[in-house]
């Protein structure tokens, strides 16, 4: 089975080279890489030229920025049977593609498989409250909310051809909703009846954000991601217990960290919770507008 790996990128060269290095070591080498380059200069030319000798690379330039926008452009050019969206700073261990190919070849009932996300260097989750656990199984909305991270998801091509990423969501969208586009995409898939399996033994790697951001950067990240998360929760008709848990957990963690004296962590949780609350309100408005427009007589 052939893979199409769609990689949006901006302002990263060393990180993208690290991803390319991991792809060059794959034991399944039937894949193409579609790089959607949103840099205004030609900083990637040398890197792409060098690794084009290792594997097939289609280098697309896109001047209008946005992660979701880049993914939608990239998927117009896919030729593979299995589609994935690795981040430009993520890493694929050497057997990932062969494991995914074996699973989807032998398990026709599933439309995709989702991996667990470990830190680049340590065998522990890259993200504290999402990215997977030890319980493999069918992905529903509850499970999808915690494992639906783009670079861990692998789709059959028929799924990706049928659905687009919401270009109002994600980094660079030009809207306040700086995250949530990957879970939103998974929820679209579930809404359409597609079935996904989460495999805790299948692993990809990604830098742990707290290891690379200073305090101010992390606060900005948490608030922006919270906005996107809240917008996602308001946009979809999800189980009420899931919405309640997702909109309140950050505040509960804020109080817990304050009692422990961990004020920095408390600030991170509060920024995320505040963003989630504001985003949820706006997402609900979006959902109501869609509902009203769909109920109007033609």
């Amino acid at each position: 089975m052939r893979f199409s790996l769609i990689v949006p990128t901006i302002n990263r060269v060393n990180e993208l080279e690290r991803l390319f290095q991991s792809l060059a070591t794959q034991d399944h080498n039937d894949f193409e890489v579609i790089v959607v380059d949103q840099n205004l200069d030609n900083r990637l030319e040398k890197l792409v030229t060098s690794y084009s000798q290792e594997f097939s690379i289609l280098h697309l330039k896109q001047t209008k920025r946005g992660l979701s926008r880049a993914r939608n452009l990239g998927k117009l050019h896919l030729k593979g049977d299995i589609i994935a969206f690795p981040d430009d700073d993520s890493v694929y261990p050497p057997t990932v593609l062969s494991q995914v190919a074996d699973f989807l070849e032998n398990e026709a009932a599933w439309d995709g498989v989702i991996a667990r996300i470990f830190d680049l260097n340590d065998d522990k989750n890259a993200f504290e409250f999402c990215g997977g656990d030890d319980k493999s199984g069918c992905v529903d909305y509850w499970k999808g909310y915690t494992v639906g991270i783009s670079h861990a998801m692998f789709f059959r091509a028929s799924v990706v051809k049928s659905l687009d990423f919401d270009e109002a969501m994600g980094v660079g969208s030009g809207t306040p909703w700086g995250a949530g586009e990957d879970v939103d995409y998974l929820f679209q898939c579930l809404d359409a009846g597609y079935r996904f399996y989460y495999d805790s033994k299948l692993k990809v790697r990604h830098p742990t954000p707290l290891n690379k951001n200073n305090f101010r950067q992390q606060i900005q990240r948490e608030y922006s991601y919270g906005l996107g998360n809240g917008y996602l929760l308001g946009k979809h008709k999800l189980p009420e217990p899931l919405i309640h848990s997702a909109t309140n957990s950050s505040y509960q963690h804020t109080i817990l960290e304050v009692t422990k004296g961990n004020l920095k962590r408390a600030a991170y949780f509060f920024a995320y919770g505040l963003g989630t609350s504001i985003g949820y309100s706006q997402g609900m408005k979006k959902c109501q507008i869609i509902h009203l427009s769909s109920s109007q007589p033609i």
Side-chain angles (χ1 to χ4, degrees), residues 1-7 16-35 48 50-59 77-86 91-101 154-155:
M1 301 183 83
R2 183 169 177 81
F3 287 78
S4 291
L5 309 177
I6 299 171
V7 187
L16 185 62
E17 182 172 14
R18 183 177 61 205
L19 171 62
F20 282 1
Q21 288 172 347
S22 76
L23 296 179
T25 66
Q26 293 298 307
D27 61 1
H28 180 100
N29 55 21
D30 190 5
F31 65 88
E32 62 173 354
V33 178
I34 302 172
V35 175
V48 169
S50 175
Y51 276 90
S52 292
Q53 301 174 42
E54 301 281 344
F55 46 78
S56 172
I57 302 179
L58 175 62
H59 185 191
H77 300 267
L78 61 87
K79 297 178 181 177
D81 308 296
I82 305 172
I83 316 303
F85 300 90
V91 165
Y92 278 180
T95 63
V96 163
L97 297 186
S98 61
Q99 288 177 276
V100 172
F154 298 85
F155 307 82

Side-chain angles (χ1 to χ4, degrees), residues 40-71:
L40 298 179
D41 54 27
N42 295 319
R43 70 184 69 187
L44 297 183
E45 290 292 343
K46 183 177 180 180
L47 180 65
V48 169
T49 299
S50 175
Y51 276 90
S52 292
Q53 301 174 42
E54 301 281 344
F55 46 78
S56 172
I57 302 179
L58 175 62
H59 185 191
L60 304 175
K61 295 287 288 186
Q62 186 180 46
T63 56
K64 191 173 183 180
R65 297 183 176 183
L67 181 58
S68 294
R69 194 170 291 116
R71 288 171 175 160

Side-chain angles (χ1 to χ4, degrees), residues 24-296:
T25 66
Q26 293 298 307
D27 61 1
H28 180 100
N29 55 21
D30 190 5
F31 65 88
E32 62 173 354
V33 178
I34 302 172
V35 175
V36 185
D37 180 357
Q38 296 186 329
N39 294 295
L40 298 179
D41 54 27
N42 295 319
R43 70 184 69 187
L44 297 183
E45 290 292 343
K46 183 177 180 180
L47 180 65
V48 169
T49 299
S50 175
Y51 276 90
S52 292
Q53 301 174 42
E54 301 281 344
F55 46 78
S56 172
I57 302 179
L58 175 62
H59 185 191
L60 304 175
K61 295 287 288 186
Q62 186 180 46
T63 56
K64 191 173 183 180
R65 297 183 176 183
L67 181 58
S68 294
R69 194 170 291 116
R71 288 171 175 160
N72 285 339
L73 173 62
K75 74 189 195 69
L76 296 177
H77 300 267
L78 61 87
K79 297 178 181 177
D81 308 296
I82 305 172
I83 316 303
F85 300 90
D87 285 352
D88 57 1
D89 61 345
S90 64
V91 165
Y92 278 180
T95 63
V96 163
L97 297 186
S98 61
Q99 288 177 276
V100 172
D102 287 346
F103 178 86
L104 291 177
E105 274 188 319
N106 295 307
E107 300 289 346
W110 300 103
D111 300 297
V113 62
I114 302 177
R116 188 172 185 174
I117 305 172
F118 271 6
D119 178 67
L120 281 180
N121 302 307
D122 298 321
D123 288 340
K124 62 181 181 180
N125 282 13
F127 306 101
E128 191 169 3
F129 296 105
C130 61
D133 54 28
D134 294 329
K135 298 178 181 178
S136 300
C138 181
V139 176
D140 58 9
Y141 292 96
W142 275 92
K143 191 73 169 181
Y145 182 67
T146 60
V147 302
I149 300 177
S150 54
H151 59 277
M153 298 192 287
F154 298 85
F155 307 82
R156 295 191 190 275
S158 57
V159 177
V160 174
K161 289 177 181 178
S162 69
L163 296 167
D164 289 334
F165 284 86
D166 185 345
E167 295 185 3
M169 300 179 72
V171 175
S173 63
T175 73
W177 328 126
E181 78 292 336
D182 37 12
V183 181
D184 176 74
Y185 193 74
L186 179 58
F187 282 178
Q188 286 189 63
C189 293
L190 297 179
D191 289 344
Y194 293 118
R195 301 179 71 242
F196 290 82
Y197 185 82
Y198 166 70
D199 185 352
S200 64
K201 295 181 180 179
L202 180 67
K203 297 178 179 67
V204 296
R205 293 188 179 271
H206 188 279
T208 299
L210 287 173
N211 291 343
K212 65 176 184 178
N213 293 337
N214 61 37
F215 177 75
R216 183 174 181 177
Q217 289 171 329
Q218 192 64 24
I219 288 290
Q220 292 173 335
R221 181 185 188 276
E222 296 295 338
Y223 180 69
S224 176
Y225 277 40
L227 285 171
N229 175 61
Y231 184 76
L232 161 80
L233 295 169
K235 176 183 173 184
H236 292 271
K237 292 186 177 299
L238 300 171
E240 284 297 328
L242 172 56
I243 294 174
H244 183 269
S245 174
T247 53
N248 287 284
S249 63
S250 290
Y251 295 122
Q252 293 168 353
H253 283 292
T254 299
I255 295 171
L256 179 61
E257 295 299 334
V258 168
T259 63
K260 293 179 178 179
N262 297 330
L263 299 186
K264 184 178 289 188
R265 279 176 58 83
Y268 295 155
F269 283 117
F270 182 76
Y272 190 85
L274 181 62
T276 297
S277 297
I278 295 172
Y280 179 68
S281 175
Q282 295 300 313
M284 286 291 291
K285 291 179 182 178
K286 171 79 170 182
C287 183
Q288 290 167 0
I289 291 172
I290 292 173
H291 177 73
L292 286 172
S293 62
S294 64
S295 63
Q296 293 294 326

